[in-house]
Amino acid sequence: LTATDMPLVGIMDTEEHLQRRKPWARAFNGAAIREYEPLVAKRAHQLVRALEDQKGEVDIGHWVNYFRYVS
């Protein structure tokens, strides 16, 4: 894999990593994270309610994927 194909977390070259990280930095600063908190809390409550209704064995992968896209 080239650095452009590699996930950010796997880039070992510090300069390349910092360059690729710049666009993400704003989305993950403290203010942005606080802004996401109500949505994450809402989704977590939805997931818990859905899981509480399940009987027997649960495919958590299915539910986590569903959880990502439900509005």
Side-chain angles (χ1 to χ4, degrees):
L1 290 174
T2 66
T4 57
D5 296 327
M6 187 172 293
L8 183 60
V9 70
I11 298 174
M12 301 301 288
D13 179 274
T14 302
E15 291 302 316
E16 177 68 24
H17 178 86
L18 292 173
Q19 278 301 115
R20 292 263 314 270
R21 192 179 96 178
K22 279 182 183 181
W24 294 95
R26 192 172 60 195
F28 294 104
N29 68 31
I33 296 297
R34 283 187 294 281
E35 191 175 312
Y36 303 144
E37 187 176 1
L39 177 61
V40 172
K42 176 184 172 186
R43 296 283 194 260
H45 289 291
Q46 288 174 330
L47 178 60
V48 168
R49 283 193 306 272
L51 291 173
E52 286 174 340
D53 294 339
Q54 301 305 301
K55 306 276 190 270
E57 191 172 305
V58 173
D59 177 359
I60 194 69
H62 166 79
W63 285 100
V64 169
N65 282 333
Y66 180 73
F67 175 72
R68 290 175 40 197
Y69 300 108
V70 173
S71 35

